[in-house]
Amino acid sequence: MNICLNDKIFSIISEVVTSEGVSAFVIGGWVRDCLLKREHPGKDIDIVIIGNGIDIAKKIAGKIDPKIRVSVFKNFRTAMFRWNDYEIEFVGARKESYKRGSRKPVVEDGTLEDDQKRRDFTINAFAISLNNDTYGLFLDPFDGTQDLKIKLSGHRSIRLKHSPMIR
């Protein structure tokens, strides 16, 4: 899957997370669009960090250009910055649970698998490793590639993994 990682930003992220000793994965729409061979006009990239996504976002932005402004969203444990045509969002891997009658999740630190489980569609759980030792490894825990094949064959539906309304 290295073909999806040709943009320079991925090697920069890999270098920083390797030096920091944390794991990182590009996840969701970027991976899906790459598999579909779509262009990335907005260059919207989501990165899951096993650890503190906010700290890593700041370190990566600082490595690229100390003048980059990092927007932090503490309630959601995310950070985002823009660089060139990219809008890159970092999140620490998390798991979510819901109290009865609430649509607002209770957020806790989690694993990559926890983070993938909380995503709505099977194809939004696609991930590619940015870690030095597994760089480019494609992860598809819910067989979303099968859903893409079905969608491309003309069917209309892609499986929901869960309904946020039913918890």
Side-chain angles (χ1 to χ4, degrees):
M1 266 303 145
N2 283 2
I3 192 166
C4 295
L5 304 178
N6 290 338
D7 293 88
K8 181 176 171 70
I9 189 65
F10 297 117
S11 60
I12 295 169
I13 294 169
S14 181
E15 186 179 320
V16 172
V17 298
T18 298
S19 71
E20 292 295 319
V22 298
S23 295
F25 303 84
V26 60
I27 195 161
W30 179 275
V31 182
R32 176 203 62 225
D33 289 350
C34 180
L35 291 173
L36 292 171
K37 296 181 174 38
R38 290 181 180 164
E39 290 294 318
H40 301 286
K43 297 207 177 186
D44 180 18
I45 302 171
D46 295 318
I47 306 292
V48 171
I49 304 293
I50 311 306
N52 189 319
I54 294 170
D55 288 347
I56 295 298
K58 290 176 180 177
K59 289 176 181 176
I60 291 168
K63 179 172 181 61
I64 294 169
D65 180 348
K67 296 177 187 170
I68 290 177
R69 183 179 164 272
V70 178
S71 300
V72 174
F73 309 96
K74 286 187 180 180
N75 289 350
F76 299 104
R77 301 181 185 181
T78 64
M80 186 272 299
F81 65 83
R82 288 180 176 86
W83 176 62
N84 292 342
D85 294 337
Y86 299 102
E87 185 172 294
I88 309 159
E89 185 169 348
F90 294 81
V91 61
R94 62 189 189 217
K95 59 182 171 182
E96 297 177 349
S97 59
Y98 291 79
K99 293 183 180 178
R100 192 179 241 354
S102 175
R103 293 184 185 188
K104 185 177 179 183
V106 176
V107 178
E108 303 173 66
D109 290 340
T111 63
L112 173 64
E113 293 79 17
D114 291 328
D115 200 88
Q116 289 171 307
K117 286 177 187 175
R118 73 178 184 78
R119 294 174 183 274
D120 51 1
F121 292 100
T122 60
I123 60 173
N124 288 337
F126 291 152
I128 300 175
S129 175
L130 297 175
N131 308 309
N132 196 38
D133 57 339
T134 57
Y135 192 82
L137 177 67
F138 174 65
L139 303 167
D140 178 14
F142 304 110
D143 202 21
T145 50
Q146 186 61 32
D147 288 337
L148 282 183
K149 288 176 188 171
I150 291 168
K151 180 72 172 169
L152 293 174
S153 71
H155 288 78
R156 293 182 175 220
S157 63
I158 291 182
R159 289 179 295 152
L160 274 170
K161 289 191 356 295
H162 60 77
S163 170
M165 303 299 285
I166 304 172
R167 299 221 189 232

